[in-house]
Amino acid sequence: MRTRAAVLCGAAAVALAGSLTAVPAEASAPHSAPISRLGKPSWRKCGTTDYPSLQCASLKVPLDHANPDGRQVTLALSRVPHTAERFQGPLLVNPGGPGGDGLTLAGFVAATLPKGVAAQYDVIGFDPRGVGASRPALDCEPGYFGPVRPDSVPSTPEAERANLARAKSFAAACSRKHGQLLPYIDTISAAHDIEAIRQALGAQKINYLGYSYGTYLGAVYAHLYPQRVRRLVLDSIVDPTDVWYTANLNQDHAFNDRHRAFMAWVARHDARYRLGTDPERVEATWYAMRAALAEKPAGGRVGAAELEDTYLPGAYFNGFWPPLAEAFAAYVNRKNAASLIEAYQDFGAIDAADDNSYSIYAAVQCRDAFWPRDWHQWRKDNWAAYEKAPFMTWNNAWYNAPCAFWPTESLRPVNVANGKLPPVLLFQATADAATPYEGGVTMHRLLAGSSLVVEQGGGNHGITLSGNACLDKHLAAYLTDGTVPIGLGEADAACDALPEPKPPATATGAASDKAVPAPSNGSVLHRLLGFRH
């Protein structure tokens, strides 16, 4: 899992058609309702200060695409319309999750792409079924992540029983409130929804940009409807061969590596944080802080589990390291919990939208693929992972534990291998924690004719439109005319990672200034993508 990109050979940028091979038999699937039944979206203005050109609409689709005349659900859509004379069709964007709401992402993508490129597309955002403004929206157990939760590390039988009771309660609540919906909250159904959106837009083919889980969703759509794909961009790529139980165990090791990279960064900036110059000692101090909060939660709100929630975003985006380090230092050096509490509010606290997102996350992942139903297997596997990767292993285990008790049967993962696509462009950072590097390599192998661009040494999750001009140049070229790099190594092109963030020059003394990173494309994008995605 921690293998990094091989040495890359020189790459030439060319447009290349994908080779044709047979798509596996399971690609056959019920099609979405015909456009005459779906109707066309009626767009209305819904612009914001940041994205004034946004328009919104809704679309009804079958809950069960095999029964198009049955119950309907409503998808919320957004659009930034094209303005150029040359029109290349709709560009659907998805932030991942599962459970990420995508309406605002359309505005961000349209505003962040080069103007001349964005102007050629209708950039389309959508809240997948059950998410955000789509209806019905799932919310199995409001306040499920409210503080203070039991310590995530089940070091005593009582701690394990408490966490198991919570997981069982959540699964039962989902069954009571949304039992009729749960069999249809899954990636395959969401892919059929994308096809319904295509039909409703009147487009012969779609373009698609997906981040994180959105890469798996995009690959599944391309598997089911390869003839409908015009351009496909997958950024920070899920390994489609280990969804989802194994993927989460693999994440644990990668998250631990990324947290240790953060500890090493803090040590390199000892002049600012005064936590020591030895990364291992800094890490030991962090775990001592965790132990103290397990005994006495800060402000009655930040216990051990909440501390993990707060520092997890730093594994997704190193732009969050400075405020997280400020809170760490303030708690250790000055016994000041205010910054830590504010960092929790900013990075770790859960609101109603997050409750909805988590409900969808659980519903999709638990339905998509097999999960062990014997808790002894979970205990064995997670203790083994914890020995090498203590940072998030048990927190992650409990996040997914409702799947051990889920009320629906599991589907088989989709084999996304595909030789019927036009050139596909893949982006992957070599030290990504949420979707480790090997996922990008695997997807590259499975999608014939795809091109893989790696961010060498990068650890952020979601790397295009985040400030790296080299990556964005490849993206812009592809969206302009289909140009992709072709290389001879494991990847087709490499870009250097952005420089690490720097601590603020001076302390402000204001907790709010320490907890909120300076606005940038990277920080805006990573707020839109969210965490655990």
Side-chain angles (χ1 to χ4, degrees):
M1 177 192 32
R2 282 161 287 181
T3 303
R4 299 309 181 211
V7 175
L8 303 173
C9 297
V14 299
L16 188 68
S19 60
L20 297 178
T21 59
V23 175
E26 63 267 27
S28 60
H31 290 276
S32 301
I35 190 167
S36 59
R37 185 174 297 155
L38 292 170
K40 292 186 177 181
S42 178
W43 297 102
R44 64 187 186 280
K45 294 181 179 180
C46 61
T48 66
T49 300
D50 291 330
Y51 311 117
S53 299
L54 269 177
Q55 301 173 350
C56 293
S58 61
L59 177 69
K60 290 187 179 298
V61 298
L63 174 65
D64 178 1
H65 283 277
N67 180 22
D69 295 319
R71 180 178 176 181
Q72 305 286 294
V73 295
T74 301
L75 304 180
L77 310 179
S78 66
R79 177 178 75 168
V80 177
H82 73 284
T83 57
E85 183 175 348
R86 183 190 185 201
F87 177 45
Q88 299 206 51
L91 172 62
L92 275 66
V93 297
N94 181 271
D101 54 277
L103 300 184
T104 305
L105 183 63
F108 173 83
V109 170
T112 311
L113 281 171
K115 290 182 180 180
V117 176
Q120 298 177 36
Y121 290 90
D122 284 349
V123 183
I124 306 293
F126 62 100
D127 284 354
R129 55 175 54 204
V131 175
S134 293
R135 292 293 180 266
L138 271 64
D139 190 349
C140 295
E141 191 171 346
Y144 179 70
F145 287 99
V148 171
R149 307 198 307 277
D151 191 333
S152 59
V153 179
S155 52
T156 66
E158 292 78 14
E160 184 176 47
R161 284 194 294 268
N163 280 299
L164 276 173
R166 292 184 71 255
K168 292 177 182 178
S169 171
F170 186 86
C174 286
S175 181
R176 287 193 306 272
K177 293 183 68 174
H178 304 299
Q180 294 183 328
L181 298 175
L182 294 183
Y184 309 102
I185 307 296
D186 57 77
T187 300
I188 294 175
S189 295
H192 290 315
D193 288 345
I194 292 176
E195 173 61 8
I197 293 171
R198 180 200 65 79
Q199 292 188 32
L201 294 174
Q204 288 298 310
K205 296 184 177 184
I206 66 165
N207 310 281
Y208 179 92
L209 166 60
Y211 292 92
S212 193
Y213 162 78
T215 65
Y216 182 63
L217 174 59
V220 170
Y221 175 80
H223 176 87
L224 297 174
Y225 301 99
Q227 74 281 9
R228 297 302 184 184
V229 175
R230 182 174 180 270
R231 289 188 185 137
L232 182 65
V233 183
L234 307 181
D235 182 330
S236 303
I237 299 163
V238 167
D239 187 334
T241 64
D242 67 4
V243 294
W244 292 110
Y245 181 73
T246 304
N248 279 279
L249 289 169
N250 289 342
Q251 273 188 341
D252 296 334
H253 295 275
F255 279 135
N256 201 75
D257 287 348
R258 199 67 189 140
H259 185 63
R260 297 194 76 185
F262 170 46
M263 298 291 99
W265 180 86
V266 172
R268 287 195 295 275
H269 295 285
D270 180 59
R272 168 72 185 199
Y273 299 116
R274 304 295 183 186
L275 290 166
T277 58
D278 180 352
E280 291 189 2
R281 293 193 64 178
V282 175
E283 185 178 13
T285 301
W286 191 90
Y287 281 104
M289 175 175 68
R290 185 195 184 282
L293 292 168
E295 292 292 324
K296 184 181 179 181
R301 293 181 59 77
V302 185
E306 290 73 30
L307 182 75
E308 292 164 341
D309 297 345
T310 302
Y311 280 80
L312 176 63
Y316 282 78
F317 177 52
N318 62 12
F320 298 146
W321 287 0
L324 291 173
E326 295 285 347
F328 179 18
Y331 183 85
V332 171
N333 295 333
R334 301 192 298 275
K335 311 303 179 186
N336 178 2
S339 292
L340 188 62
I341 295 167
E342 191 154 355
Y344 165 70
Q345 287 298 127
D346 195 36
F347 295 112
I350 299 298
D351 60 16
D354 297 317
D355 282 337
N356 165 245
S357 180
Y358 176 68
S359 296
I360 292 293
Y361 172 94
V364 171
Q365 294 224 341
C366 297
R367 174 69 168 150
D368 262 5
F370 169 77
W371 293 79
R373 297 290 180 144
D374 181 356
W375 185 252
H376 290 88
Q377 185 69 45
W378 290 68
R379 183 187 294 122
K380 174 185 175 183
D381 292 340
N382 283 280
W383 274 121
Y386 178 82
E387 288 183 5
K388 296 182 179 179
F391 171 52
M392 284 298 296
T393 290
W394 276 108
N395 189 300
N396 204 19
W398 297 121
Y399 198 80
N400 292 282
C403 292
F405 314 103
W406 204 247
T408 67
E409 295 182 357
S410 296
L411 301 172
R412 293 177 59 188
V414 176
N415 176 1
V416 302
N418 204 327
K420 291 189 174 183
L421 298 174
V424 173
L425 188 57
L426 312 176
F427 291 94
Q428 184 67 44
T430 57
D432 185 353
T435 52
Y437 173 73
E438 288 71 20
V441 174
T442 299
M443 189 73 82
H444 184 28
R445 173 174 54 81
L446 292 175
L447 300 184
S450 63
S451 291
L452 174 62
V453 179
V454 302
E455 187 180 46
Q456 197 75 40
N460 291 338
H461 179 69
I463 55 176
T464 59
L465 304 182
S466 191
N468 190 318
C470 175
L471 298 172
D472 291 349
K473 182 179 179 180
H474 286 291
L475 175 62
Y478 179 66
L479 293 179
T480 297
D481 58 17
T483 297
V484 295
I486 300 297
L488 300 177
E490 182 176 71
D492 297 282
C495 294
D496 291 337
L498 293 173
E500 288 185 339
K502 295 181 180 180
T506 59
T508 64
S512 60
D513 289 337
K514 297 172 185 176
V516 181
S520 65
N521 284 347
S523 61
V524 173
L525 174 64
H526 287 87
R527 296 285 183 173
L528 292 173
L529 300 186
F531 315 117
R532 305 270 191 183
H533 295 11

